[in-house]
Amino acid sequence: HNVRGAYEAVKYLIDHSHTKIGLIGSTTSGHEHPSITERRQGYLKALMDCGIPNTYVEDSHLQGTSAYEATLRLLKRVPDITAIFACNDDVAHYVIKAINESGRCVPDDVSVVGFDDTEGAVNMQPPLTTMQVDKELMGAVAVRHLYERAINPTRPPITTMISTRLVIRDSVSRV
């Protein structure tokens, strides 16, 4: 769900005429959770499939200070950037903070999309457009797989894909 969800989020930005789309909340250091690596892949695939050759990735960890500083670096390096895909909603919060403190505003100057649809996403200013992940369903499916594996340890492994859904709020505008 991570690659497809990130792809859909970035495609939503592209559908709103954005072509200079940044990525914050991912790093190539090798110490990254696989889900974040997959979200970076979705970002890159969406741009490639839509014929957008330029990527604007500013490496950062998921911690707030790292995301905030990476956003400031990205805004300085690419002053005409129009959108940022944040690898999770916490990162998006710090992306919005950095955009505001740089004298720009969301979504008029820079649109932002997050991932996870955490409780705080709706309370951000502006409310965050984000990818919703059904974590309760993920947990239930995982428990079921573990239970079935315990009953039949020789059963081949099964992979279940849980889809994501774009929750449209107020953090994206058309270029």
Side-chain angles (χ1 to χ4, degrees), residues 52-118:
I52 299 172
N54 296 326
T55 62
Y56 303 95
V57 178
E58 194 66 42
D59 278 6
S60 74
H61 299 285
L62 295 176
Q63 296 87 352
T65 306
S66 178
Y68 174 82
E69 291 171 354
T71 304
L72 291 178
R73 287 192 309 272
L74 180 63
L75 293 170
K76 186 174 183 179
R77 183 168 58 90
V78 189
D80 56 344
I81 200 155
T82 63
I84 294 176
F85 170 62
C87 284
N88 71 20
D89 292 350
D90 187 47
V91 166
H93 170 77
Y94 287 95
V95 166
I96 291 171
K97 181 178 179 189
I99 290 168
N100 289 337
E101 291 182 10
S102 74
R104 297 170 176 94
C105 75
V106 175
D108 296 340
D109 299 317
V110 183
S111 292
V112 178
V113 175
F115 205 108
D116 290 331
D117 194 27
T118 57

Side-chain angles (χ1 to χ4, degrees), residues 92-161:
H93 170 77
Y94 287 95
V95 166
I96 291 171
K97 181 178 179 189
I99 290 168
N100 289 337
E101 291 182 10
S102 74
R104 297 170 176 94
C105 75
V106 175
D108 296 340
D109 299 317
V110 183
S111 292
V112 178
V113 175
F115 205 108
D116 290 331
D117 194 27
T118 57
E119 286 182 32
V122 73
N123 297 320
M124 289 185 198
Q125 290 303 319
L128 183 66
T129 296
T130 183
M131 293 306 297
Q132 183 183 69
V133 180
D134 191 337
K135 293 192 175 178
E136 287 183 21
L137 177 60
M138 283 175 61
V141 168
V143 168
R144 182 179 177 102
H145 281 303
L146 285 171
Y147 175 74
E148 290 173 2
R149 187 75 173 191
I151 291 172
N152 184 1
T154 60
R155 184 196 77 182
I158 295 174
T159 301
T160 303
M161 295 290 285

